[in-house]
């Protein structure tokens, strides 16, 4: 009996430990499912060993990585074809928790071990991700290539690994698209005062900003259980008379709740700041992982109760985050993992009415913008028609990178996204970029720097690099395609903001001038004895040094007549037919372009009828054309009406020879239809340029 009791005494701690491990494992998986990776990590560590006790702090902002929910068994089923030992599972989950709490150094240490397990071949990929975040790009390339060639790679991860290899090479080459751009940590007493700060947005004007921060003094309901240092609230600040940002103010309740509130955007409702809206992301009171977009109505910086946007934005069971209102306040962009996307978080857009309410259904921005991974934090810059956003599914140099994509409003198509490169992007997560109206300054958020409580977002200010936009080109003779020197080139700002620029091409036909950003221009090239050439260029969305090329081709003015095709009159009259007016409208535009020309409108008849009658009829017809041109804005001083009757038969090319359509020639033709065609050719209206 004593032996039995002794045996039970010895086995009791082991049995208790087994029970405790099941509890820890159960709790860990629950926390992981809720995306509380810090508490999941602690419980996985306890389940692996009762001696582990590490001090960590919660990361106070959303994560958008996937989750894995597994049953608690000694051998755990991963998918329909494999099971893994419990120890392998625990070590894999610990490594994943480190990755998802942004402790890339410890994640790399753990994935270095688990990547050798047969249970988790994909950990080679995640080991590469960790090394990439640590800026060990050559090691990351080797790991990604190893995963791709392993024979065990998932297609989606293999495709992503291929993109990341390209991103690693970008980073190794130290690509700096905007190397002269100034990037500095925003004021630590205003923006970066707490444990985390992110998602800046201009608020009413370029000198007022709202942003999200977790810091002391935030909104809590139970101070005994809640710590505002780790709860996100919406704050705002504005520049003072000295040009510095003033102390940040919490919007308070009811806009901010006792959970996370953040990533806001402003809608002035037709520039009426006395009554406006703020859209923002709110974490669920009941289930922290659930995130939806709400709006709060503001009057004089005070808010009414906020409301959840309808299911056209917030699909039940899915995340909708990061709202952004377009500058014209007609569109709401946001990120969501709702059905109908390409995988992960996608960017969507929905229309807004004049009261700021969403109307219609949300539209996915398409696979030029979205990937099978995550696209978040959209910002649409209206003046440059450019979408800025963050993605970890494109060619990234590490984590979330910030990209830009031009939008063609006429075709409704986005251009291929461009990585903004260093110094904006880093090996860590970079997101939430916003620009002022002139693309001169802005903000973005990044976790590139270690902070006291782990890896957390901080807000950075951007001052755009001094850059130039140059317009240059060559002037040519249209017919010979040879260089045409000394051509006057006029550059006119369409909106009339700036004085016209007039320059002359040099002896090599070359011209060059500087342009302003975010403007549209009308271009004109002119030279004596030549018809002018014209074109348009714009500098919309350009935020780096750029050279625009525009060549001109000028046609030498002939000495003879130039027929105005399509001019028709009523029978035996000078009344212009509708088709004639269409053609004359083209002539009006031509004369507007060639404003230095004086022309003679010349009207002809065929030989049928008396000379005197034909002369008068042709004069009336020439005058009707001149009158039409004057009515449509052409100065009468530039116009001469001349009726020539039948005195100047047309000369045409026929069988490679010049033929004058005299009565003798016409009546020598036996084909009646051909004779009538030649009579019609004589009944013509033309113009001739007078000497300049």
């Amino acid at each position: 009996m004593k032996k039995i009791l002794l045996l039970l005494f010895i086995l009791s701690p082991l049995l208790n430990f087994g029970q405790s491990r099941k509890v820890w494992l159960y709790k860990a998986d629950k926390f992981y499912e809720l995306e509380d990776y810090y508490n999941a990590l602690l419980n996985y560590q306890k389940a692996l060993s009762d001696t582990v006790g590490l001090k960590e702090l919660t990361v106070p902002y959303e994560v958008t990585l996937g989750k894995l929910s597994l049953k608690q068994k000694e051998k755990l089923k991963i998918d329909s074809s494999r099971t893994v030992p419990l120890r392998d599972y625990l070590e894999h989950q610990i490594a994943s928790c480190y990755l998802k709490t942004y402790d890339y150094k410890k994640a790399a240490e753990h994935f270095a071990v688990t990547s050798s397990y047969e249970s988790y071949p994909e950990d080679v990929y995640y080991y590469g991700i960790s090394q990439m975040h640590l800026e060990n790009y050559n090691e990351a390339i080797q790991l990604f290539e190893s995963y791709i060639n392993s024979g065990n790679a998932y297609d989606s991860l293999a495709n992503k690994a291929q993109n990341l290899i390209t991103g690693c090479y970008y980073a190794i080459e130290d690509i700096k698209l905007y190397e002269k751009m100034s990037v500095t940590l925003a004021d630590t007493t205003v923006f970066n005062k707490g444990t985390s700060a992110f998602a800046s947005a201009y608020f009413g004007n370029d000198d007022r900003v709202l942003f999200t921060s977790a810091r002391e003094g935030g909104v809590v309901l139970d101070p005994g259980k809640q710590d505002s240092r780790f709860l996100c609230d919406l704050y705002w600040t504005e520049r003072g008379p000295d040009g510095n940002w003033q102390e940040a103010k919490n919007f308070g309740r009811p806009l901010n709740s006792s959970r996370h509130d953040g990533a806001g955007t402003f809608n002035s409702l037709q520039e009426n700041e006395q009554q406006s809206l703020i859209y923002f992301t709110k974490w669920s009171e009941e289930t922290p992982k659930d995130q939806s977009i709400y709006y709060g109505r503001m009057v004089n910086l005070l808010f009414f109760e906020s409301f959840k946007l309808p299911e056209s934005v917030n699909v039940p069971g899915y995340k909708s985050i990061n709202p952004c209102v377009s500058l014209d306040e007609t569109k709401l962009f946001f990120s969501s993992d709702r059905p109908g996307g390409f995988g992960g978080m996608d960017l969507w857009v929905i229309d807004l009415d004049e009261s700021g309410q969403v109307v219609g259904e949300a539209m996915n921005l398409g696979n030029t913008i979205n990937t099978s991974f995550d696209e978040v934090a959209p910002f649409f810059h209206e003046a440059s028609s450019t979408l800025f956003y963050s993605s970890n599914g494109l060619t990234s140099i590490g984590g979330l990178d910030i990209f830009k994509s031009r939008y063609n409003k006429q075709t409704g198509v986005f251009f291929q996204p461009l990585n903004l490169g260093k110094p904006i992007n880093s090996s860590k997560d970079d997101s939430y970029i916003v620009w002022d109206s002139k693309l001169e300054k802005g903000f973005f958020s990044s976790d590139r720097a270690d902070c006291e409580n782990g890896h957390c977002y901080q807000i950075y200010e951007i001052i755009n690099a001094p850059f130039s936009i140059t317009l240059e080109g060559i002037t040519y003779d249209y017919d010979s395609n040879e260089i045409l020197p000394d051509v006057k080139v006029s550059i006119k700002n369409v909106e009339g903001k700036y004085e016209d620029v007039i320059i002359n091409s040099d002896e090599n036909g070359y011209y060059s001038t500087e342009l302003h950003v975010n403007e549209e221009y009308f271009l004109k090239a002119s030279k004596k004895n030549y018809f002018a050439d014209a074109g348009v260029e714009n500098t919309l969305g350009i935020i780096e040094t750029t050279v625009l090329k525009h060549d001109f081709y000028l046609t030498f003015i002939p000495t003879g007549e130039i027929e105005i095709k399509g001019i028709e009159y009523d029978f035996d009259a000078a009344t212009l037919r509708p088709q004639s007016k269409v053609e004359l409208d083209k002539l009006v535009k031509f004369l507007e372009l060639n404003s230095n020309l004086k022309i003679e409108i010349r009207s002809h008849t065929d030989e049928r009828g008396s000379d005197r009658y034909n002369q008068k009829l042709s004069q009336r017809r020439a005058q009707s054309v001149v009158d039409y041109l004057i009515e449509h804005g052409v100065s009468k001083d530039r116009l001469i009406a001349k009726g020539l009757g039948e005195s100047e038969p047309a000369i045409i090319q026929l069988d490679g020879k010049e033929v004058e359509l005299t009565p003798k020639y016409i009546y020598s033709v036996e084909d009646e239809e051909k004779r009538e065609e030649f009579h019609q050719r004589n009944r013509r209206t033309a113009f001739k340029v007078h000497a300049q």
Side-chain angles (χ1 to χ4, degrees), residues 221-444:
L221 293 183
D222 188 346
K225 295 181 179 180
Q226 295 176 306
D227 189 342
S228 70
R229 293 178 301 164
F230 306 107
L231 287 173
C232 293
D233 277 350
L234 285 161
Y235 290 78
W236 69 278
T237 181
E238 60 186 345
R239 291 189 188 276
D242 59 357
N244 296 321
W245 295 105
Q246 297 180 326
E247 181 181 359
K249 302 176 181 65
N250 189 303
F251 280 112
R253 291 187 61 84
L255 185 68
N256 288 316
S257 68
S258 60
R259 293 291 184 180
H260 291 306
D261 305 283
T265 184
F266 180 70
N267 186 339
S268 68
L269 298 182
Q270 305 302 318
E271 301 182 355
N272 177 13
E273 290 191 38
Q274 299 305 310
Q275 185 173 355
S276 49
L277 298 178
I278 288 181
Y279 307 86
F280 63 102
T281 307
K282 182 185 283 289
W283 281 247
S284 168
E285 297 277 354
E286 295 77 22
T287 309
K289 71 170 185 175
D290 291 343
Q291 298 159 34
S292 303
I293 297 175
Y294 283 66
Y295 73 94
R297 191 170 298 277
M298 183 187 76
V299 177
N300 296 325
L301 296 176
L302 298 176
F303 283 88
F304 297 100
E305 192 69 36
S306 59
F307 295 93
K308 188 176 182 178
L309 289 178
E311 292 184 8
S312 56
V313 173
N314 296 306
V315 176
Y318 298 90
K319 291 180 183 177
S320 291
I321 60 175
N322 305 153
C324 173
V325 175
S326 61
L327 187 63
D328 64 4
E329 300 179 350
T330 63
K331 306 286 184 185
L332 180 71
F333 295 86
F334 63 98
S335 180
S336 178
D337 60 355
R338 59 193 286 158
F342 295 89
M345 303 294 290
D346 273 9
L347 298 189
W348 300 74
V349 65
I350 192 168
D351 290 333
L352 295 174
D353 64 19
E354 292 182 358
S355 65
Q357 300 301 309
V358 296
V359 292
E361 295 298 322
M363 181 181 69
N364 189 287
L365 294 190
N367 61 3
T368 300
I369 299 297
N370 293 311
T371 70
S372 60
F373 287 79
D374 294 324
E375 282 70 44
V376 295
F379 171 72
F380 190 78
H381 191 266
E382 192 74 29
S384 62
S385 196
T386 303
L387 177 71
F388 295 86
Y389 67 104
S390 291
S391 173
N392 59 15
L394 295 166
T395 306
S396 166
I397 63 174
L400 289 169
D401 273 8
I402 299 173
F403 293 79
K404 73 169 185 176
S405 173
R406 281 288 312 281
Y407 178 68
N408 187 316
K409 293 181 179 179
Q410 282 69 45
T411 62
V413 173
F414 284 98
F415 291 89
Q416 193 65 31
L418 175 68
N419 189 309
L420 295 191
K422 296 180 179 180
I424 290 179
N425 289 319
S426 69
S427 64
K428 305 294 177 63
D429 285 336
D430 307 287
S431 192
Y432 298 107
I433 194 168
V434 295
W435 291 99
D436 66 3
S437 57
K438 297 180 180 179
L439 281 172
E440 292 178 347
K441 57 189 178 185
F443 297 90
F444 71 95

Side-chain angles (χ1 to χ4, degrees), residues 438-479:
K438 297 180 180 179
L439 281 172
E440 292 178 347
K441 57 189 178 185
F443 297 90
F444 71 95
S445 306
S446 176
D447 71 343
R448 65 187 60 190
D450 291 341
C451 55
E452 182 180 351
N453 296 291
H455 296 264
C456 55
Y457 271 136
Q458 292 177 297
I459 294 173
Y460 290 79
E461 287 193 81
I462 322 166
I463 298 177
N464 209 350
F467 64 91
S468 62
I469 304 173
T470 304
L471 174 68
E472 66 176 25
I474 306 294
T475 53
Y476 295 95
D477 181 288
Y478 180 86
D479 296 308

Side-chain angles (χ1 to χ4, degrees), residues 118-148:
E118 292 183 4
S119 303
Y120 292 97
E122 66 269 26
D123 280 8
V124 176
Y125 168 82
Y126 292 114
Y127 187 17
I129 291 286
S130 304
Q131 293 285 27
M132 193 173 183
H133 281 297
L134 294 171
E135 299 186 357
N136 298 324
Y137 295 111
N138 287 313
E139 292 85 343
I141 291 171
Q142 293 176 6
L143 289 165
F144 291 140
E145 290 178 341
S146 175
Y147 178 69
I148 292 170

Side-chain angles (χ1 to χ4, degrees), residues 484-495:
L484 189 63
D486 197 29
V487 173
K488 183 171 75 171
V489 179
S490 303
I491 298 98
K492 180 181 180 63
N493 174 242
V494 171
E495 295 186 2

